Amino acid sequence: MGSLLVVSAHAGDFVWRAAGAIALATARGDRATVLCLTYGERGESAKAWREGNSLEQIKQIRREEATNAAKALGAEIEFLDAGDYPLVESPELVDRIVRVYREVVPTVVLTHPLVDPYNGDHPAAARMALQARVLAQAVGYEAPGEPLGAPPVFFFEPHQPEQCDFKPNVLLDITSVFDTKRAAMECLPAQQHMWDYYTDLAKRRGVQVKRNAGPNLGLPHSTMGEAYVRLYPQVTGELA
Ligand SMILES: [Zn+2]
């Protein structure tokens, strides 16, 4: 059985960018775990602030929304409440992430790209996700569980891909689970403006899935996609 770990800076990020991959994983019986480093309480909750909620109320709102979205996807979810805007990198926080790796034992890891001039929390989350992965592999690193293997890491698509040097080299066909992704998105009313944006993006990526798959696969006109960048080389005994 596979185990997918998604390291998300804020409570909503995993939904827009990776819900298709998560839903595909759980649909085939794999375990999927979302690790939200923060609730996105300061930086990605403008509507809740304008409605006059307190910081603690906003955290609770975002926690509930993200929990519902994870449930819609069949995923487990964990929050570290590390504080956003800014998300501060620290050895203590990396150590907490190492412990999640050792418990979840991921066979695949998804996180943010390392460049995002619009949002410093996203690359910070990615740096910590990568550092924790390396530490979790070390036999001598003191944390419960066994040393980690070498799960591949994929960066999911940022909101402004061109500015983030995001050039996809993996296109994921999410057609069979797109309704589930849409249902997860609709669990986040605080960011309602994103629902149609990410539906349209999935259509455009779907066109690219079809184009790159070629005509022989006979993918339907309605193909939906998500784009990823694979960080480490793929290991294979056969080029295909
Ligand atoms: Zn975010």
Side-chain angles (χ1 to χ4, degrees):
M1 193 176 89
S3 176
L4 175 69
L5 175 64
V6 185
V7 181
S8 182
H10 309 113
D13 296 334
F14 73 95
V15 180
W16 318 118
R17 285 135 205 171
I22 297 168
L24 283 171
T26 59
R28 64 176 176 258
D30 287 354
R31 180 184 182 187
T33 307
V34 177
L35 180 64
C36 286
L37 303 186
T38 82
Y39 297 112
E41 63 271 17
R42 293 188 185 277
E44 297 181 4
S45 303
K47 184 163 172 264
W49 283 107
R50 292 200 187 99
E51 287 169 354
N53 293 289
S54 69
L55 179 63
E56 284 310 313
Q57 285 171 324
I58 291 169
K59 283 186 183 182
Q60 189 57 35
I61 291 167
R62 298 316 309 272
R63 183 187 176 93
E64 278 175 24
E65 289 178 358
T67 301
N68 290 339
K71 192 183 290 179
L73 298 171
E76 301 165 40
I77 191 162
E78 191 172 333
F79 302 91
L80 296 187
D81 192 14
D84 74 331
Y85 277 67
L87 170 59
V88 178
E89 293 171 71
S90 71
E92 293 75 23
L93 184 51
V94 171
D95 182 65
R96 293 174 71 192
I97 302 170
V98 171
R99 287 161 189 272
V100 173
Y101 273 98
R102 288 273 181 96
E103 192 276 316
V104 169
V105 193
T107 53
V108 174
V109 177
L110 306 182
T111 192
H112 300 265
L114 288 163
V115 176
D116 190 342
Y118 295 91
N119 192 316
D121 289 3
H122 294 163
R127 286 191 296 271
M128 288 189 284
L130 295 179
Q131 172 72 344
R133 175 183 171 279
V134 170
L135 296 181
Q137 291 175 324
V139 176
Y141 190 91
E142 279 191 42
E146 296 297 317
L148 189 70
V153 176
F154 298 89
F155 297 139
F156 47 65
E157 180 157 7
H159 199 53
Q160 314 257 5
E162 294 85 355
Q163 277 70 29
C164 300
D165 299 335
F166 185 83
K167 187 176 173 185
N169 56 17
V170 176
L171 292 167
L172 186 65
D173 183 346
I174 63 166
T175 313
S176 64
V177 294
F178 185 76
D179 288 348
T180 307
K181 174 165 183 167
R182 177 76 192 201
M185 291 198 284
E186 292 181 3
C187 292
L188 305 179
Q191 293 172 286
Q192 194 168 347
H193 56 288
M194 306 276 262
W195 298 355
D196 287 343
Y197 182 91
Y198 277 93
T199 298
D200 292 342
L201 179 61
K203 283 179 195 163
R204 292 202 301 281
R205 291 306 188 191
V207 170
Q208 295 163 9
V209 169
K210 263 176 66 89
R211 176 67 180 83
N212 284 276
N216 292 343
L217 286 187
L219 296 181
H221 181 66
S222 57
T223 297
M224 305 293 260
E226 279 178 353
Y228 292 88
V229 169
R230 186 182 175 109
L231 177 62
Y232 298 108
Q234 178 188 9
V235 177
T236 179
E238 180 186 358
L239 292 177

